[in-house]
Amino acid sequence: MPDDPIREMSDGTLVKAYNEAASMSVFCHAHPLTGLRPRLAAHGVVTAQDLRRIPSESRVRVTGILVIVHTPPTRSGRRVMFITMEDETGLLDVVAFPKAQKDYARSILTSEMITVEGILQRQGTDGRSKSIVLERVILTLTGPLSKFLPHEETRQRSG
Amino acid sequence: MKKNEPPRPGRARLTGIPRQSAGTRGMAVRRRDGGYPAFRGTLRSGGTGVSPAGFGHIHGDANSSRKKAMDTFVHLEVQSAYSFLWGTFDPEDLVRQVAALGQQAVALTDDGLYGAVRFYKAAVRAGIQPIVGARLSLWDGSFVTLLATDFAGYGNLCRLLSVAFEGGTSPQHPVSKQDLNHWSNGLVCLAGGRGSGIRSALERGRIDAARFKLLELKEILHNPEHLFVVLQNHDHPADPGIMERAFQLASQLHLPVAASNAVAFLNPRDYLIHRTMIGIQERHHHRKVRSLPSDRFFLASGEEMKRKIPYPQAIENTGYIATLCREFSLPVGKLHPPSLQRPEEASRKLSSLCLKELSRLHRPVPPAYLRQFDRETAAIDKLELSDFFLLVKMVVDFARNRGIRHSVRGSAAGSLVVHLLLGGVDPLAHNLLFERFINEGRGDMPDIDLDFDSDRRDEVIHHTMNLFPRRTAMVCTIHTFKVRSAVRLAARALGYPLDEIDRLASCLPWSLRGRDLNAALEDLPELKDSPLHHEGRLIEVAAKLTNLPFQSSVHLGGVIVAPDDIKSWTPVGSSPKGLPVGHLDKDDVDALGLLKLDLLGLRMHTAIRKALEILKDKGVVLDMDRMPLDDRKTYALLRSTESIGIFQLESPGQRNLLGRLQPTNFGDLISEISLFRPGPVTGNMVEVYLKRRHGEEPIRIPHEDLTPVLAETFGVFLFQEQVLRIVHIFAGLSYAEADAFRRAMTKDRKSKTMDRLKQQFIQGAISKGHGRSLAEKVFQQASTLASYGFCKAHAASFAHITYQSAYLKAHHPQAFYLGLLNAGHVGSYPPSVMLNEARRRGIPVYPPHINAGGTEYEADGSGIRAPLVVVNGVGPAMARRIVAERKKRGPFRSREEFLSRLPLPDRIVNVLSMAGALEGLEGQEWELIREVANA
């Protein structure tokens, strides 16, 4: 038995994820964050699924692969960034208002996987509509994660 | 006019065109029949009489002519940005500059007619005489400029350009002598300008060669008296000598002369933009092309032209030529529908078809349907549109017979006649309004936009082309520089290395939505540290390129059906798929009142079709178009917000709204699609709607008369149809007036118009017994709604597809995902996100493998097998080779056997190995994985 079964398991998944990321446009075995979850959890990072049981207005930290950044036109002309990320349990919707954009717009637009912190907003029946209002971007991409990322462009940034 | 016939007295009078004259003002006013008149401005300052000045020395009173030429000079050779990557300005800017210079007319002579209609409209609005022409390549490799003197001449120009554009969307072929002879009636020909064989011969002193070419042209042209020899001077030392030789030769041949500056930019400083465009052609498109030699090819004033070209007759004749072209007009603003049969015959046929379908769908037919049918057919008959409906039915029937999925989108879905003829949602069942689609007040052709399975849409387009041979062409699309492409291409042209270009363009959005590049660099935080800040010249050039057209292509699905020969209306080239494509974009087609069918491709139809095929293979046959719209499992799925892949409802905003709206019926889907729009979102209507929908706030309706209109949306103004109904019911105006009200509120919103409409509405409301304050309140709400409301018929039509896709996802998720993954790019999310969701929902996802699957995603038991093409470097051709070999000689047993049967590059083998596509084969090792694991 390995000394640290969780670590071994997650690293095995990570290796497959690395290979898939380096060789394909999709992930077949698992989402790449699956293998990283124990270490992310240790840093207080919750999943999209966890958000269903966390009260609204809580400060949360999530990590995800960036899927879409959308900046629809608004009547006021004020730009709002709607950021869709994905972890192994589902989609994460993050909203960045101009104040947050000031510090983090470039990180958001140039990264492939980020960790963000913000305030959870839950609306609707059972709070099924969930979004996170961005406070800061924490790209914890050093250590084990960066080794397994498919691209070499990752860098450390802090808020 | 026959050959050698002198110009007719009267028509050829050279005078000025007063910008403020009654005739000029009249240019901006449409005729009662909706058309613009031909240009009737009278030239201002007298003239030389009945014929052109400058037959050598015959009319050579230089002193008297010089004064008159000051006001009458007309630029006749002008190439805008619609001569792609050559000219540097929009036609609208040209018109503005011409007006600023006090000139009375101007020609646009691009390589094609892509900018002609917008130029014509802009010039007419500004009171400038528009002359439409083109620069044409001839059989001997030289060029002439042709100008249309009337609409027949315009048609001939279109035919000549069609020769030049044959087989492509850029001019590729020279026009032959026979073509020019055949189609030169109604055209003025300017010969001897830059790039022509005549000028080249004159430059080299080969007078005889130049004489021969001119005589040849004179012989060929239908109107030889409309042949002019061009004099140009761009301050090159050789130019005066060439001008003099051209003038002398013209005199000897009794040909008139005309001054030209071969304009490619409005101001000399834009020469840099021209050179950049040439640089883009050279470095990006790898074309061999030379820029103009100097900054002198600009829109010079008459005074400047007189200085440059000291031949008064040549200056004066530009005005004469403008007079020759005075009868030219484009039939803008009039309808030109095709006619297939007599209106009465078409009407009978339409009614018969509709009633037959009505009695098939409803037994007995409810009276409400019969009343609606009578109302619609009466309006259709009055506007003589039966033919149009039958034409569209011919197209849809083809799709039906071939099993091609299709649907109607837009306001047309509100029509019972459309429902009966073409299918789609039942307008009575969903309380839709026919008058939003057609009413007696609309002067334009109605639109019936059709969506087809994307993979099979071309079949429909080809069929439509075959139905109306020589009368159809695809609408073109003009691509303009967006800021990002402008920066990248300008940098390329200016010689920046590629990695530097990547650095400069980093974080630049594709579009700045009205903001200019300088403002974006200041405002957008992600550009705060952009290296672009230090590249002043690049910024200047990119900013000027932004929004200029740079190429044409084929509209996604717009098909023009002309009333007669399509080449009377537009030059016709050819798309890469071999379809005829015109030089008219969608706005041009609307302006000319031509019928445009939008035969669009919808990838969701493709996805649904593929999903249904998979289910059929498993013995599950679904009739998606006839199934009830009340499936509980489908709505439960939507309420869960797990809507990735569901048509229209997968965006972050829609997912959020699904969680809050919690739809339980089809009406909720219509509202959901309509609510998530900029208007309702920014107007806080969503919050109000949701609270009322969930009973958290009382429903308020301004007056009981409006209850039938607003009850379905809990008193919230949401649909455009509600505006029409409110104006009709509350203020007593007709639906035609109500629709005019809606359109004015949407597009115009000028205070004068608004005031007039407000008075009309309030007077109408008062005459119906309502108080003024209530009338003002309702007007305020209706006018606000008009600016943001969504077309309910369109939403209902889309909601039907939404429901179908959601039903498949709820009941047959494996087939649903496979359909989506194999339908090309559907919706907002990449395949990886769909596969991740499939895996989360319990559907196993298997990696591509050389012994399983193929070129598409396939069902593998209860799971999904990824195709070989997802492996980096493995394209469809290679994947097909692997699959074909496997099918031919059986599965691959070992890595060595695989390599012996299919010798592939090591790089590909390694990447297949990493992807797991060789897993399980004998001899397959996991070195790479181990390597990474140990890193």
mmCIF file of all heavy atoms in Angstrom, chain B residues 119-144:
data_model
loop_
_atom_site.group_PDB
_atom_site.id
_atom_site.type_symbol
_atom_site.label_atom_id
_atom_site.label_comp_id
_atom_site.label_asym_id
_atom_site.label_seq_id
_atom_site.Cartn_x
_atom_site.Cartn_y
_atom_site.Cartn_z
ATOM 1 N N PHE B 119 -23.578 53.938 -51.390
ATOM 2 C CA PHE B 119 -23.083 55.204 -51.959
ATOM 3 C C PHE B 119 -24.249 55.998 -52.540
ATOM 4 O O PHE B 119 -24.399 57.198 -52.296
ATOM 5 C CB PHE B 119 -22.049 54.886 -53.044
ATOM 6 C CG PHE B 119 -21.785 56.027 -53.991
ATOM 7 C CD1 PHE B 119 -21.143 57.175 -53.570
ATOM 8 C CD2 PHE B 119 -22.171 55.944 -55.327
ATOM 9 C CE1 PHE B 119 -20.907 58.230 -54.447
ATOM 10 C CE2 PHE B 119 -21.948 56.980 -56.207
ATOM 11 C CZ PHE B 119 -21.308 58.131 -55.772
ATOM 12 N N TYR B 120 -25.073 55.305 -53.310
ATOM 13 C CA TYR B 120 -26.214 55.969 -53.945
ATOM 14 C C TYR B 120 -27.118 56.609 -52.881
ATOM 15 O O TYR B 120 -27.500 57.777 -52.988
ATOM 16 C CB TYR B 120 -26.989 54.939 -54.774
ATOM 17 C CG TYR B 120 -28.177 55.518 -55.495
ATOM 18 C CD1 TYR B 120 -28.034 56.104 -56.750
ATOM 19 C CD2 TYR B 120 -29.432 55.515 -54.911
ATOM 20 C CE1 TYR B 120 -29.124 56.657 -57.409
ATOM 21 C CE2 TYR B 120 -30.524 56.060 -55.561
ATOM 22 C CZ TYR B 120 -30.370 56.630 -56.810
ATOM 23 O OH TYR B 120 -31.438 57.188 -57.444
ATOM 24 N N LYS B 121 -27.422 55.829 -51.846
ATOM 25 C CA LYS B 121 -28.331 56.349 -50.819
ATOM 26 C C LYS B 121 -27.709 57.540 -50.082
ATOM 27 O O LYS B 121 -28.377 58.544 -49.827
ATOM 28 C CB LYS B 121 -28.668 55.238 -49.806
ATOM 29 C CG LYS B 121 -29.574 54.166 -50.381
ATOM 30 C CD LYS B 121 -30.169 53.285 -49.298
ATOM 31 C CE LYS B 121 -29.134 52.482 -48.560
ATOM 32 N NZ LYS B 121 -29.674 51.582 -47.547
ATOM 33 N N ALA B 122 -26.418 57.411 -49.772
ATOM 34 C CA ALA B 122 -25.757 58.507 -49.038
ATOM 35 C C ALA B 122 -25.704 59.772 -49.887
ATOM 36 O O ALA B 122 -25.939 60.883 -49.390
ATOM 37 C CB ALA B 122 -24.337 58.077 -48.643
ATOM 38 N N ALA B 123 -25.415 59.609 -51.171
ATOM 39 C CA ALA B 123 -25.319 60.773 -52.049
ATOM 40 C C ALA B 123 -26.677 61.450 -52.209
ATOM 41 O O ALA B 123 -26.796 62.681 -52.135
ATOM 42 C CB ALA B 123 -24.770 60.340 -53.408
ATOM 43 N N VAL B 124 -27.694 60.636 -52.400
ATOM 44 C CA VAL B 124 -29.043 61.200 -52.563
ATOM 45 C C VAL B 124 -29.447 61.969 -51.306
ATOM 46 O O VAL B 124 -29.992 63.074 -51.372
ATOM 47 C CB VAL B 124 -30.050 60.062 -52.890
ATOM 48 C CG1 VAL B 124 -31.481 60.536 -52.709
ATOM 49 C CG2 VAL B 124 -29.833 59.568 -54.315
ATOM 50 N N ARG B 125 -29.145 61.369 -50.153
ATOM 51 C CA ARG B 125 -29.475 62.059 -48.892
ATOM 52 C C ARG B 125 -28.770 63.398 -48.793
ATOM 53 O O ARG B 125 -29.302 64.366 -48.281
ATOM 54 C CB ARG B 125 -29.061 61.184 -47.694
ATOM 55 C CG ARG B 125 -30.096 60.208 -47.236
ATOM 56 C CD ARG B 125 -29.781 59.693 -45.830
ATOM 57 N NE ARG B 125 -28.456 59.108 -45.723
ATOM 58 C CZ ARG B 125 -28.191 57.825 -45.956
ATOM 59 N NH1 ARG B 125 -29.150 57.007 -46.320
ATOM 60 N NH2 ARG B 125 -26.960 57.367 -45.823
ATOM 61 N N ALA B 126 -27.535 63.440 -49.301
ATOM 62 C CA ALA B 126 -26.733 64.661 -49.165
ATOM 63 C C ALA B 126 -26.962 65.642 -50.311
ATOM 64 O O ALA B 126 -26.359 66.719 -50.337
ATOM 65 C CB ALA B 126 -25.251 64.278 -49.095
ATOM 66 N N GLY B 127 -27.800 65.280 -51.261
ATOM 67 C CA GLY B 127 -28.036 66.180 -52.390
ATOM 68 C C GLY B 127 -26.891 66.207 -53.382
ATOM 69 O O GLY B 127 -26.713 67.173 -54.122
ATOM 70 N N ILE B 128 -26.109 65.166 -53.394
ATOM 71 C CA ILE B 128 -25.006 65.027 -54.348
ATOM 72 C C ILE B 128 -25.459 64.051 -55.433
ATOM 73 O O ILE B 128 -26.063 63.016 -55.128
ATOM 74 C CB ILE B 128 -23.749 64.448 -53.647
ATOM 75 C CG1 ILE B 128 -23.306 65.343 -52.494
ATOM 76 C CG2 ILE B 128 -22.620 64.208 -54.637
ATOM 77 C CD1 ILE B 128 -22.736 66.676 -52.904
ATOM 78 N N GLN B 129 -25.146 64.373 -56.684
ATOM 79 C CA GLN B 129 -25.527 63.443 -57.752
ATOM 80 C C GLN B 129 -24.630 62.205 -57.711
ATOM 81 O O GLN B 129 -23.411 62.313 -57.868
ATOM 82 C CB GLN B 129 -25.391 64.096 -59.131
ATOM 83 C CG GLN B 129 -25.823 63.145 -60.248
ATOM 84 C CD GLN B 129 -25.409 63.612 -61.635
ATOM 85 O OE1 GLN B 129 -25.011 64.764 -61.817
ATOM 86 N NE2 GLN B 129 -25.490 62.724 -62.599
ATOM 87 N N PRO B 130 -25.219 61.023 -57.516
ATOM 88 C CA PRO B 130 -24.385 59.815 -57.505
ATOM 89 C C PRO B 130 -24.187 59.272 -58.922
ATOM 90 O O PRO B 130 -25.142 59.157 -59.691
ATOM 91 C CB PRO B 130 -25.221 58.831 -56.679
ATOM 92 C CG PRO B 130 -26.630 59.280 -56.845
ATOM 93 C CD PRO B 130 -26.638 60.734 -57.204
ATOM 94 N N ILE B 131 -22.967 58.983 -59.257
ATOM 95 C CA ILE B 131 -22.676 58.337 -60.544
ATOM 96 C C ILE B 131 -22.069 56.976 -60.209
ATOM 97 O O ILE B 131 -21.072 56.895 -59.494
ATOM 98 C CB ILE B 131 -21.678 59.172 -61.377
ATOM 99 C CG1 ILE B 131 -22.246 60.578 -61.613
ATOM 100 C CG2 ILE B 131 -21.356 58.475 -62.691
ATOM 101 C CD1 ILE B 131 -21.239 61.562 -62.179
ATOM 102 N N VAL B 132 -22.704 55.947 -60.701
ATOM 103 C CA VAL B 132 -22.235 54.602 -60.348
ATOM 104 C C VAL B 132 -21.469 54.015 -61.534
ATOM 105 O O VAL B 132 -21.943 54.039 -62.676
ATOM 106 C CB VAL B 132 -23.414 53.696 -59.953
ATOM 107 C CG1 VAL B 132 -22.979 52.242 -59.857
ATOM 108 C CG2 VAL B 132 -23.984 54.157 -58.620
ATOM 109 N N GLY B 133 -20.300 53.538 -61.242
ATOM 110 C CA GLY B 133 -19.478 52.945 -62.292
ATOM 111 C C GLY B 133 -18.568 51.886 -61.722
ATOM 112 O O GLY B 133 -18.723 51.462 -60.575
ATOM 113 N N ALA B 134 -17.633 51.468 -62.528
ATOM 114 C CA ALA B 134 -16.680 50.455 -62.068
ATOM 115 C C ALA B 134 -15.436 50.505 -62.931
ATOM 116 O O ALA B 134 -15.452 51.005 -64.066
ATOM 117 C CB ALA B 134 -17.292 49.061 -62.129
ATOM 118 N N ARG B 135 -14.364 50.000 -62.360
ATOM 119 C CA ARG B 135 -13.102 49.884 -63.091
ATOM 120 C C ARG B 135 -13.028 48.451 -63.599
ATOM 121 O O ARG B 135 -13.183 47.499 -62.832
ATOM 122 C CB ARG B 135 -11.956 50.188 -62.130
ATOM 123 C CG ARG B 135 -10.621 50.382 -62.776
ATOM 124 C CD ARG B 135 -9.679 51.065 -61.783
ATOM 125 N NE ARG B 135 -8.427 51.419 -62.433
ATOM 126 C CZ ARG B 135 -7.329 50.698 -62.352
ATOM 127 N NH1 ARG B 135 -7.316 49.584 -61.654
ATOM 128 N NH2 ARG B 135 -6.228 51.078 -62.985
ATOM 129 N N LEU B 136 -12.772 48.323 -64.880
ATOM 130 C CA LEU B 136 -12.893 47.009 -65.505
ATOM 131 C C LEU B 136 -11.604 46.633 -66.238
ATOM 132 O O LEU B 136 -11.015 47.452 -66.943
ATOM 133 C CB LEU B 136 -14.045 47.066 -66.506
ATOM 134 C CG LEU B 136 -14.847 45.801 -66.706
ATOM 135 C CD1 LEU B 136 -15.642 45.471 -65.454
ATOM 136 C CD2 LEU B 136 -15.788 45.971 -67.881
ATOM 137 N N SER B 137 -11.214 45.407 -66.082
ATOM 138 C CA SER B 137 -10.014 44.901 -66.763
ATOM 139 C C SER B 137 -10.394 44.433 -68.175
ATOM 140 O O SER B 137 -11.407 43.761 -68.359
ATOM 141 C CB SER B 137 -9.451 43.729 -65.952
ATOM 142 O OG SER B 137 -8.437 43.099 -66.671
ATOM 143 N N LEU B 138 -9.571 44.804 -69.168
ATOM 144 C CA LEU B 138 -9.883 44.474 -70.567
ATOM 145 C C LEU B 138 -9.022 43.333 -71.087
ATOM 146 O O LEU B 138 -8.070 42.893 -70.438
ATOM 147 C CB LEU B 138 -9.680 45.704 -71.440
ATOM 148 C CG LEU B 138 -10.578 46.907 -71.130
ATOM 149 C CD1 LEU B 138 -10.322 48.024 -72.143
ATOM 150 C CD2 LEU B 138 -12.045 46.518 -71.120
ATOM 151 N N TRP B 139 -9.327 42.928 -72.265
ATOM 152 C CA TRP B 139 -8.673 41.797 -72.912
ATOM 153 C C TRP B 139 -7.171 41.974 -73.070
ATOM 154 O O TRP B 139 -6.428 41.012 -73.130
ATOM 155 C CB TRP B 139 -9.316 41.544 -74.282
ATOM 156 C CG TRP B 139 -9.236 42.759 -75.181
ATOM 157 C CD1 TRP B 139 -8.242 43.083 -76.053
ATOM 158 C CD2 TRP B 139 -10.169 43.824 -75.242
ATOM 159 N NE1 TRP B 139 -8.498 44.277 -76.666
ATOM 160 C CE2 TRP B 139 -9.682 44.763 -76.195
ATOM 161 C CE3 TRP B 139 -11.377 44.104 -74.605
ATOM 162 C CZ2 TRP B 139 -10.354 45.941 -76.508
ATOM 163 C CZ3 TRP B 139 -12.043 45.255 -74.927
ATOM 164 C CH2 TRP B 139 -11.541 46.167 -75.867
ATOM 165 N N ASP B 140 -6.720 43.225 -73.140
ATOM 166 C CA ASP B 140 -5.283 43.447 -73.358
ATOM 167 C C ASP B 140 -4.541 43.719 -72.047
ATOM 168 O O ASP B 140 -3.402 44.173 -72.046
ATOM 169 C CB ASP B 140 -5.074 44.617 -74.332
ATOM 170 C CG ASP B 140 -5.682 45.909 -73.795
ATOM 171 O OD1 ASP B 140 -6.298 45.867 -72.705
ATOM 172 O OD2 ASP B 140 -5.539 46.947 -74.456
ATOM 173 N N GLY B 141 -5.213 43.454 -70.913
ATOM 174 C CA GLY B 141 -4.555 43.648 -69.623
ATOM 175 C C GLY B 141 -4.653 45.064 -69.099
ATOM 176 O O GLY B 141 -4.151 45.359 -68.009
ATOM 177 N N SER B 142 -5.271 45.957 -69.858
ATOM 178 C CA SER B 142 -5.394 47.330 -69.381
ATOM 179 C C SER B 142 -6.768 47.530 -68.738
ATOM 180 O O SER B 142 -7.552 46.593 -68.606
ATOM 181 C CB SER B 142 -5.182 48.303 -70.532
ATOM 182 O OG SER B 142 -6.233 48.203 -71.457
ATOM 183 N N PHE B 143 -7.020 48.764 -68.335
ATOM 184 C CA PHE B 143 -8.257 49.067 -67.615
ATOM 185 C C PHE B 143 -9.013 50.222 -68.258
ATOM 186 O O PHE B 143 -8.404 51.118 -68.851
ATOM 187 C CB PHE B 143 -7.934 49.470 -66.170
ATOM 188 C CG PHE B 143 -7.424 48.342 -65.348
ATOM 189 C CD1 PHE B 143 -6.065 48.030 -65.313
ATOM 190 C CD2 PHE B 143 -8.292 47.566 -64.588
ATOM 191 C CE1 PHE B 143 -5.585 46.989 -64.560
ATOM 192 C CE2 PHE B 143 -7.821 46.525 -63.828
ATOM 193 C CZ PHE B 143 -6.469 46.227 -63.807
ATOM 194 N N VAL B 144 -10.320 50.182 -68.116
ATOM 195 C CA VAL B 144 -11.135 51.368 -68.407
ATOM 196 C C VAL B 144 -12.068 51.573 -67.221
ATOM 197 O O VAL B 144 -12.283 50.666 -66.412
ATOM 198 C CB VAL B 144 -11.999 51.211 -69.683
ATOM 199 C CG1 VAL B 144 -11.154 51.235 -70.935
ATOM 200 C CG2 VAL B 144 -12.873 49.971 -69.604
#
